[in-house]
Amino acid sequence: MEDITFDEMGICNVCKSSEDKMRIEWQQRGENLENILSEAKEKSGDNYDCILPISGGKDSFYQAHILTKVYNMNPLAVTFSHNWYSETGFYNLQLCLETFNLDHIQFTPARKTVNNLTKKSLSLIGDSCWHCHAGIGSFPLQIAVMYKIPLLIWGESINEADGRSTYSCPSVKFDRDYFTKVSARYTAEEIADKDVPLDRLQGFRLPTYAEIEDTGVWGIHLG
């Protein structure tokens, strides 16, 4: 595991991050969350209150439940499809949208593009899913900028199971380059080549820093 360390007792920093959760002041964190969501709702006017990036998995249902049922938010659900959905996975995504009555935007890259990116991804980053890591980071940001919706509500944080950041010492803050830093490693511009030209990677291209700043885009993790 990347950036893993062990203390004098042989306990790794990921396990220590899990231990951090036992000491979190949940009531205070709950009040902070309520303030964030209340402010977003107040500022949204007749727009959506926030962006809800979802895949249809366990985190997606939790995010949607907390936002719509607990805090009465009006999120716009956004999905980057890796084009690898199983029948069950696709069903779960539709179930989430219907259960929580969500408006939804989805981007699905062409299968040939995915295949070419997968081959390149293996040698570049050590797994086959560059397009997953990059698309999850870029497409919701594109929609946030396009629809002028500043707040993104993500699910699980890397503090949960990653050696690079812990709850007590979070070292990776969400920003435009968050998913490039923690998983994708390369931008669309850097990964483009003759087999996957840049004009086939529009869904993977991050908004500019100026666009992000102009919209005021930022994100939190419910996890």
Side-chain angles (χ1 to χ4, degrees):
M1 178 176 286
E2 190 171 358
D3 291 331
I4 195 165
T5 59
F6 296 87
D7 66 14
E8 64 279 2
M9 298 294 291
I11 300 174
C12 75
N13 48 346
V14 180
C15 291
K16 293 171 83 169
S17 182
S18 181
E19 188 178 5
D20 285 345
K21 292 174 69 175
M22 303 176 190
R23 301 184 175 92
I24 290 176
E25 295 290 342
W26 290 110
Q27 183 173 346
Q28 182 62 55
R29 290 291 281 267
E31 292 172 2
N32 293 345
L33 175 61
E34 187 169 4
N35 290 336
I36 289 170
L37 298 183
S38 295
E39 183 175 349
K41 194 173 183 66
E42 184 178 337
K43 289 182 176 179
S44 64
D46 57 2
N47 198 1
Y48 295 100
D49 297 328
C50 59
I51 295 285
L52 174 59
I54 60 172
S55 64
K58 59 180 175 53
D59 290 337
S60 302
F61 277 82
Y62 179 72
Q63 291 160 257
H65 171 79
I66 292 295
L67 291 177
T68 62
K69 303 300 184 182
V70 178
Y71 291 102
N72 196 33
M73 299 286 284
N74 178 32
L76 173 61
V78 176
T79 299
F80 168 80
S81 168
H82 38 52
N83 206 338
W84 286 343
Y85 268 113
S86 65
E87 184 177 343
T88 301
F90 182 77
Y91 170 82
N92 284 340
L93 175 59
Q94 303 309 310
L95 180 63
C96 185
L97 297 172
E98 293 174 12
T99 299
F100 299 104
N101 194 33
L102 298 170
D103 290 348
H104 182 232
I105 294 177
Q106 177 171 308
F107 170 74
T108 306
R111 178 54 65 89
K112 184 177 179 180
T113 299
V114 169
N115 290 346
N116 287 334
L117 288 172
T118 296
K119 294 174 187 175
K120 190 168 187 178
S121 178
L122 278 170
S123 59
L124 276 179
I125 65 173
D127 71 40
S128 60
C129 213
W130 176 88
H131 77 287
C132 314
H133 305 310
I136 288 168
S138 61
F139 186 62
L141 290 183
Q142 290 180 13
I143 298 301
V145 167
M146 185 183 303
Y147 283 84
K148 305 295 183 185
I149 307 170
L151 179 61
L152 293 93
I153 311 291
W154 301 92
E156 189 173 270
S157 165
I158 64 167
N159 297 336
E160 192 71 17
D162 193 293
R164 288 166 288 180
S165 188
T166 65
Y167 289 102
S168 59
C169 298
S171 59
V172 186
K173 180 181 178 182
F174 178 82
D175 58 16
R176 170 189 179 272
D177 301 306
Y178 177 86
F179 283 95
T180 304
K181 289 181 291 189
V182 303
S183 54
R185 302 292 186 237
Y186 296 88
T187 64
E189 288 78 7
E190 292 170 327
I191 208 165
D193 60 16
K194 62 180 178 60
D195 294 320
V196 193
L198 194 57
D199 64 1
R200 300 295 304 189
L201 297 175
Q202 295 305 314
F204 302 92
R205 301 184 70 178
L206 291 160
T208 66
Y209 290 103
E211 290 171 328
I212 291 291
E213 184 175 353
D214 181 60
T215 307
V217 174
W218 69 299
I220 63 172
H221 291 78
L222 284 186

